[in-house]
Amino acid sequence: QKLLHRAFAVYPDFFVYNDAGAPNAYATPQRNGPSPDGTVAFKYDLLRRELAKARGVANAFSVPAIMAHEFGHILQFKNGTRVLGKLQELQADYIAGWYMGRRDGSSDQAENSFRALATTFYSIGDYAFNSPGHHGTPEERADAVLAGFKSARMPLDKVYNASLKFIGAPEVRESSLGTTFSASALQTALQQVFRDRENSFVSYRQS
């Protein structure tokens, strides 16, 4: 978690929970503890399964990738980014890829290895986090996370704008990342994006 806090400059509460339903992870702007930036929750069944598949920390990919995806949502909440549905998820995937590149390095060899891992991860998932109906197709998600990985040398504010550009949303001017939103201008611009892409994403489900 410390690596995620340092990379994203956000401090959500984190919980591992256990209840009925599909293995999942989610982020919410709601505070459930002393931390100032919302909450990230990771279902125990998902965590246990992904750690078992990793078979050791050296091979771990999915758990930090999922965590980084959820921290990407916390950044969206903190900065008031008003994108919905698939575009919201693909932006979080892009940011997750950026984090993985910073964590693991972004050499050509690392990129080829990461590409294979990302393609496999997004093609075989069978839990709600990887639902094409809400998060994009496996190909779209792998493309987004790989594009973020290639941006690993960018600072946070630059990569956040790059992630918005990737999904076709307007870049931010000033925000808590070092750049602030004009909410009305952003909403107007996004309405045009949504009209242009109305066939590209499905109804909103916060995750």
Side-chain angles (χ1 to χ4, degrees):
Q1 269 187 270
K2 289 182 179 179
L3 289 175
L4 288 159
H5 291 320
R6 189 157 55 241
F8 286 88
V10 294
Y11 301 90
D13 291 303
F14 176 72
F15 295 95
V16 175
Y17 70 104
N18 194 12
D19 66 5
N24 206 353
Y26 71 91
T28 173
Q30 179 179 339
R31 294 174 59 183
N32 291 283
S35 299
D37 296 323
T39 302
V40 170
F42 210 119
K43 190 168 181 183
Y44 174 72
D45 288 348
L46 174 60
L47 180 61
R48 181 179 61 180
R49 185 176 71 187
E50 296 305 318
L51 288 175
K53 282 165 39 178
R55 296 179 183 175
V57 175
N59 295 320
F61 166 82
S62 59
V63 171
I66 294 170
M67 289 288 291
H69 176 97
E70 302 306 334
F71 268 64
H73 285 316
I74 296 295
L75 276 181
Q76 291 170 329
F77 303 147
K78 187 171 182 178
N79 288 280
T81 304
R82 301 178 184 184
V83 291
L84 305 177
K86 186 171 78 172
L87 297 184
Q88 183 191 46
E89 302 304 329
L90 293 179
Q91 186 193 11
D93 283 336
Y94 187 106
I95 295 168
W98 167 82
Y99 170 77
M100 296 299 289
R102 292 180 77 84
R103 191 192 80 141
D104 297 339
S106 55
S107 65
D108 289 342
Q109 182 178 3
E111 181 182 323
N112 290 334
S113 177
F114 184 81
R115 183 193 301 273
L117 287 168
T119 300
T120 300
F121 177 59
Y122 289 122
S123 66
I124 66 174
D126 59 356
Y127 42 89
F129 173 82
N130 195 34
S131 169
H134 292 102
H135 290 75
T137 66
E139 293 80 10
E140 288 171 327
R141 301 199 66 192
D143 286 347
V145 77
L146 183 61
F149 186 89
K150 292 177 179 178
S151 304
R153 292 183 177 87
M154 290 184 181
L156 181 59
D157 60 333
K158 299 294 185 184
V159 82
Y160 197 82
N161 275 329
S163 69
L164 289 169
K165 184 176 181 180
F166 179 83
I167 64 170
E171 296 180 16
V172 301
R173 288 195 290 273
E174 286 184 26
S175 74
S176 57
L177 298 175
T179 57
T180 47
F181 286 91
S182 167
S184 60
L186 180 61
Q187 182 65 27
T188 299
L190 283 172
Q191 285 172 351
Q192 183 61 50
V193 171
F194 298 153
R195 284 194 293 269
D196 292 343
R197 296 193 173 205
E198 62 182 356
N199 294 321
S200 299
F201 62 95
V202 297
S203 60
Y204 169 69
R205 180 182 70 84
Q206 185 168 296
S207 61

